[in-house]
Amino acid sequence: MLYIQRDEEGKLVRVEAAEFAEMTGRLPADDQEIQAWYANLAMQSSLLQLKQSDLDMIRVLDDLITVLMTKGIIRITDLPPAAQSKLLSRNQAREALGGISRLIVDDDEDAGSGLI
């Protein structure tokens, strides 16, 4: 048996294996509503993981484009205007943070070193 909490609309908002103060009822573990709640929870976790992966990939692509431009393989003008605008905006934001960027430890660097 699992202990549950429902919101004002009757939707599950919390499921626990042990009783808790805010619980509003109980359901068997094999109940379809419980199974759907756990499936939704797993999907949300996967979406968060994918979102973080997207953020990591943005940094990789940003660095890759910078390297390609530095080596003269591509020019910023080779990119569509919208991409140019976004890259310039990101570069300006990174430069604005330049004074504190020394304090940020990059994942690729030695994380044990902490602040520089």
Side-chain angles (χ1 to χ4, degrees):
M1 194 60 65
L2 295 173
Y3 302 91
I4 62 166
Q5 179 182 3
R6 295 184 184 276
D7 65 11
E8 299 81 29
E9 298 172 359
K11 292 183 181 178
L12 285 180
V13 293
R14 184 173 172 189
V15 176
E16 299 286 340
E19 292 184 26
F20 57 96
E22 300 87 7
M23 70 179 225
T24 57
R26 299 181 307 179
L27 286 173
D30 62 352
D31 184 88
Q32 284 185 343
E33 192 175 13
I34 294 285
Q35 297 301 315
W37 189 83
Y38 276 119
N40 185 45
L41 192 64
M43 185 175 66
Q44 287 178 1
S45 176
S46 295
L47 287 173
L48 285 174
Q49 185 178 14
L50 187 58
K51 190 177 205 177
Q52 182 59 48
S53 174
D54 287 349
L55 293 174
D56 294 341
M57 283 304 299
I58 289 169
R59 177 64 191 266
V60 169
L61 292 173
D62 190 28
D63 291 345
L64 174 63
I65 291 167
T66 300
V67 167
L68 293 173
M69 288 191 306
T70 301
K71 291 185 177 241
I73 296 170
I74 64 169
R75 295 181 306 268
I76 195 159
T77 54
D78 294 336
L79 301 171
Q84 291 178 35
S85 174
K86 289 174 182 155
L87 283 170
L88 291 172
S89 177
R90 283 186 57 80
N91 284 340
Q92 289 171 350
R94 282 175 127 177
E95 286 177 21
L97 293 173
I100 64 168
S101 65
R102 296 184 316 270
L103 302 178
I104 301 171
V105 177
D106 196 346
D107 288 346
D108 297 337
E109 296 173 4
D110 180 15
S113 64
L115 300 179
I116 296 175

